[in-house]
Amino acid sequence: MACDLRRGTAATYAYTEDEVPTVEAEFHAAQKAGLPVRLGTDIDLPFEVHAAVLLDDQLTLHPVKYLQGLASAVDGDGSRIYEHSRVLDVTGRRLSTADGEVHFDRIVLATHYPLLDRGLFFARLKTPRSYAVAARLDGPPPSALAISAGSPSWSISAYGDQLIVCGQSHETGKKVVEPYRRLEEFARRHWPVQEITHRWSAQDPTAYDHLPMIGSYTPGSTTMFTATGYMKWGLSSGTFAGTLLADLVTGKPHDLAERFSPHRLSLKSVPTLVKKNAEVAVEMIGDRIMPADATNSDKLPPDHAHVIRDGLGKTGVYRDPDGQLHAVSMRCTHLGCMVRFNAAERSWDCPCHGSRFDVDGTVLEGPATKPLPRREPK
Ligand code: FES
C-alpha cells in the first residue's frame, strides 16, 4: 500500500524476571478493556523472553508516507498547507508568524506542546525524550513489534532490512548518559550488526494521567481548540484527534469528548500535579544558585559545552568540532528556567516544559517561540 501498511503481533515483554508482574498486570488490564490479548513467549527475538502479552493484527506504517498522503488530501479546494511558518502568537481571532498574520473564525493549535498557557497546560504536561538507532544486520531483521515492560525499556521493530531499537527515555532537560551508545550496545549484544545507519531522537508531551488532551483550548471555548499529550502514540492518537476535533469544531457532539477533554481533572491525579509543579518551581529557583563550570572557555575541548557566569546570569558555551565557540544566554525564553546541555543532540534543553534550542540559540522545539539571546564568548 502507499504507506507500507502491514499487520503484525504487538508484544509487551519481560526482558528480566522482575518485569514479569508488569507484563501480567498489563495482560489483565487489556483483558478488562476488552482487547483480545494472550500470554505467550512466541516472539521473534534472539534472547530469552520471560513473559509477554501479545495482541495480534496491529498496524505498522511508514509515518512520512502516511503524512504525505494526508497532506495531499488536504491541499486544494480552499485548503492550503504552509510550511516553515512557525506560529509566534495568537491574539483574539488573529495569529502571527514571522512573515505575516492569519485571521480565523476557529483555530486548532496543534503545536505539539501547546504554545499558549491560557489552558494551564504547562502545569499538566511532561515532556519525555527518547532515542533510536537503526542498524543493518547480517541476515534479516526480526519480525517482532515488541517493547519491554521495565525501565529502561527496549523497543524493537524493523523497517525494510533494518533493525530499529528505541529507548533511553528521560525527561527533557535532565541528565542524559550516552543514550546512543547504550542502544547500539543492546543491538550488538543480540544481533549480528553490520553497521549503525541512523540515529535520532524525539520527545512528546505526556499528560499527568497519560491520556491525550483533545478539545477546547480553554473551558467552554468554541473558537480555539487543541490536541496534545500523545505520549509518543501520535500516529494513532493524532488520527483519532482529527476525527474528534472535526466534530467539535463543527459543533457536533462526540461520545468521547468528555473523556479526552483537556480540562478533565481527577482527584487521583492531584499528587502527580503537585509533584510536577514543585519540580518546575525547583528548576526555576534552584538553578539560579548552581555554580558555573568555568570563568572562560580557553580550555573547552571541541564538541563540548560548559557554563560561564556572566554578571548575574549564566552563559552556555559550546565549542564545535571546527573550534568555533557558540555562546548563548541560558535563561529559557519561555518562562525563564535554566536550560541544560544535551550532549547526545548538541542542544540546550529546558527541564521545565521541554523547549529546546540549537547551540546558536535557534528554537528547535516549543513552547518557546523566541531564540536564546546570543552572547560574546569569553
Ligand atoms: Fe517553559 Fe523553558 S520551556 S521555561
Side-chain angles (χ1 to χ4, degrees):
M1 292 190 74
C3 63
D4 302 342
L5 199 67
R6 67 184 172 89
R7 289 178 187 272
T9 300
T12 304
Y13 66 94
Y15 186 55
T16 64
E17 281 280 352
D18 295 353
E19 295 172 12
V20 172
T22 312
V23 166
E24 288 171 350
E26 178 163 325
F27 171 71
H28 293 303
Q31 257 196 336
K32 205 167 152 197
L35 294 172
V37 285
R38 58 193 164 86
L39 283 170
T41 52
D42 52 327
I43 317 171
D44 180 19
L45 292 175
F47 48 79
E48 183 183 4
V49 165
H50 297 273
V53 52
L54 306 166
L55 183 58
D56 294 327
D57 222 18
Q58 299 305 291
L59 293 176
T60 65
L61 50 80
H62 189 301
V64 176
K65 291 181 183 175
Y66 177 63
L67 289 180
Q68 283 168 340
L70 289 178
S72 60
V74 167
D75 218 10
D77 199 19
S79 304
R80 297 279 181 278
I81 290 177
Y82 293 93
E83 294 182 274
H84 309 294
S85 309
R86 182 187 287 275
V87 175
L88 300 176
D89 197 13
V90 180
T91 311
R93 302 270 176 110
R94 196 183 70 221
L95 71 81
S96 46
T97 70
D99 301 315
E101 292 184 342
V102 177
H103 295 251
F104 60 85
D105 287 329
R106 269 158 275 171
I107 185 172
V108 177
L109 268 176
T111 52
H112 203 206
Y113 201 107
L115 190 66
L116 315 165
D117 195 25
R118 290 171 210 164
L120 289 176
F121 292 100
F122 303 156
R124 294 181 289 143
L125 289 168
K126 293 202 274 188
T127 49
R129 181 157 201 87
S130 295
Y131 300 79
V133 295
R136 186 159 295 117
L137 306 178
D138 260 334
S143 58
L145 296 168
I147 184 165
S148 66
S151 179
S153 70
W154 303 104
S155 161
I156 295 155
S157 59
Y159 178 68
D161 63 351
Q162 286 179 297
L163 165 76
I164 297 174
V165 181
C166 310
Q168 298 300 305
S169 190
H170 63 88
E171 273 210 55
T172 300
K174 297 287 162 72
K175 197 167 165 110
V176 190
V177 186
E178 300 183 280
Y180 291 123
R181 183 183 59 76
R182 291 178 177 204
L183 291 170
E184 182 176 340
E185 271 177 14
F186 179 86
R188 289 188 185 280
R189 195 180 318 143
H190 297 299
W191 286 273
V193 171
Q194 263 183 18
E195 62 166 333
I196 300 291
T197 56
H198 301 80
R199 45 165 66 181
W200 68 98
S201 68
Q203 71 190 44
D204 201 15
T206 298
Y208 62 89
D209 59 1
H210 293 183
L211 208 58
M213 293 177 160
I214 307 163
S216 62
Y217 210 95
T218 52
S221 173
T222 54
T223 56
M224 194 184 284
F225 301 85
T226 192
T228 185
Y230 296 151
M231 207 177 153
K232 305 196 187 110
W233 286 88
L235 285 170
S236 50
S237 299
T239 303
F240 166 69
T243 64
L244 174 49
L245 285 169
D247 280 354
L248 298 184
V249 169
T250 51
K252 293 185 199 144
H254 193 293
D255 288 352
L256 294 171
E258 280 298 308
R259 175 67 56 88
F260 288 92
S261 165
H263 313 295
R264 66 182 182 264
L265 189 61
S266 72
L267 280 179
K268 266 200 211 157
S269 63
V270 170
T272 314
L273 283 176
V274 170
K275 183 165 173 280
K276 168 68 186 159
N277 287 290
E279 282 168 7
V280 169
V282 167
E283 294 292 350
M284 283 186 161
I285 299 161
D287 254 1
R288 293 175 197 197
I289 51 174
M290 270 172 53
D293 295 336
T295 52
N296 66 56
S297 302
D298 289 353
K299 296 195 174 134
L300 185 64
D303 201 20
H304 280 70
H306 67 182
V307 179
I308 286 192
R309 182 161 294 289
D310 174 15
L312 289 177
K314 286 188 192 149
T315 296
V317 184
Y318 169 74
R319 189 188 292 280
D320 67 27
D322 297 329
Q324 196 185 338
L325 293 171
H326 305 264
V328 290
S329 160
M330 292 184 66
R331 176 93 63 238
C332 176
T333 55
H334 176 229
L335 292 178
C337 288
M338 285 291 180
V339 295
R340 295 193 184 141
F341 192 65
N342 177 340
E345 291 300 329
R346 296 175 184 82
S347 60
W348 294 100
D349 298 357
C350 182
C352 286
H353 313 105
S355 291
R356 295 181 59 243
F357 304 86
D358 208 339
V359 290
D360 65 359
T362 307
V363 176
L364 296 173
E365 303 223 16
T369 56
K370 296 194 187 84
L372 295 175
R374 293 191 193 186
R375 297 269 191 259
E376 255 328 292
K378 287 188 186 172

